[in-house]
Amino acid sequence: MENIFKNKRRINKTAMIITVAVLFFVVVGEYRFYQNRVVKRVFSYDELVNLAREAAKAENLPESIDYYREAMSLEASNNQAKSELATVYIKNQNFDEAIALLEEVIKTDESNSFALNNLGNAHRDKGEDDLAEKYYQLSIARGNIDSVGNVVTMYNNAGEYEKSISILNTLINGGKNDDYFLRLLASSYSKSGNETRANEILAEIE
């Protein structure tokens, strides 16, 4: 008889422990759900852009895209997030999405050389060299030197050295004859196999 009572007490104790454990996990689960769904942190535009930049820097492109989209939902007319998101789209090979965003930026800010340069990058990576050159040239006309290196590299990588040389000579003859452009020109001549002309240009710099 005494053993029966002991067994019942042991069973009751075990049942109580199980009940408490179940209740604990239910309460913890509900609290986490409340934290994640009810008291979800609301970020400002600037915070979202910073989070997007950090994610892009860490090569977490899908997360970066999500943050930029959320930032744009707060400030739809702000070209900053559009331009930066387009850069991430290009890295993620979403070229059409990048081009669409950058064209929106250019419609409201035709002098935005950053967006023009990125349009060149998007068309270049999409294999549309003629369109890429068009936007690089527009960007160069607005003072973006990065576009010069981009268009020259694009044509040199394609083995179209004469195009690179022609573009650089036009710029240099137009007054942009500093060392940077001359070195690019020398490099283009060298890659084309004309080491003599390349050395002549380098001698002028030195």
Side-chain angles (χ1 to χ4, degrees):
M1 191 74 174
E2 186 177 347
N3 286 337
I4 293 173
F5 284 123
K6 283 182 179 179
N7 288 335
K8 281 185 177 180
R9 282 197 297 272
R10 190 178 297 112
I11 291 169
N12 289 338
K13 187 176 180 181
T14 302
M16 186 180 296
I17 291 170
I18 292 171
T19 302
V20 169
V22 169
L23 286 172
F24 173 79
F25 285 112
V26 168
V27 170
V28 169
E30 288 297 324
Y31 178 70
R32 285 179 178 167
F33 177 84
Y34 176 78
Q35 275 190 317
N36 292 334
R37 302 294 181 187
V38 182
V39 225
K40 185 180 177 181
R41 167 98 187 266
V42 177
F43 293 101
S44 70
Y45 169 84
D46 288 336
E47 287 174 321
L48 287 166
V49 169
N50 286 333
L51 286 168
R53 288 170 179 164
E54 289 172 10
K57 189 176 180 180
E59 295 298 322
N60 191 343
L61 302 184
E63 184 176 300
S64 178
I65 289 168
D66 288 341
Y67 281 130
Y68 275 124
R69 283 176 174 167
E70 197 170 343
M72 286 166 57
S73 73
L74 298 179
E75 294 190 22
S77 62
N78 194 311
N79 284 336
Q80 178 192 34
K82 289 181 184 178
S83 294
E84 293 184 16
L85 172 56
T87 303
V88 178
Y89 273 144
I90 292 169
K91 288 182 180 178
N92 205 43
Q93 298 187 340
N94 304 119
F95 304 125
D96 290 334
E97 290 89 339
I99 290 166
L101 274 179
L102 291 165
E103 286 176 345
E104 284 182 28
V105 174
I106 297 305
K107 282 179 183 177
T108 59
D109 184 7
E110 292 180 358
S111 64
N112 192 321
S113 65
F114 177 82
L116 288 166
N117 181 65
N118 263 351
L119 266 170
N121 291 339
H123 283 293
R124 174 200 64 199
D125 292 351
K126 197 180 174 186
E128 298 170 341
D129 288 358
D130 289 343
L131 281 171
E133 183 185 341
K134 170 190 170 182
Y135 288 110
Y136 284 141
Q137 291 283 19
L138 288 170
S139 178
I140 291 166
R142 287 157 179 77
N144 192 334
I145 294 177
D146 289 341
S147 295
V148 179
N150 287 338
V151 70
V152 168
T153 300
M154 176 182 76
Y155 282 133
N156 283 347
N157 286 344
E160 298 184 66
Y161 308 112
E162 291 305 316
K163 286 188 177 182
S164 295
I165 291 167
S166 175
I167 289 168
L168 288 165
N169 277 324
T170 300
L171 289 169
I172 291 166
N173 292 334
K176 296 182 182 295
N177 58 349
D178 59 28
D179 288 0
Y180 175 69
F181 294 100
L182 291 169
R183 289 187 187 281
L184 283 176
L185 183 59
S187 174
S188 296
Y189 272 117
S190 177
K191 288 177 180 178
S192 72
N194 192 341
E195 291 292 344
T196 302
R197 182 62 184 133
N199 290 332
E200 287 174 354
I201 295 167
L202 291 174
E204 289 175 21
I205 299 171
E206 297 167 357

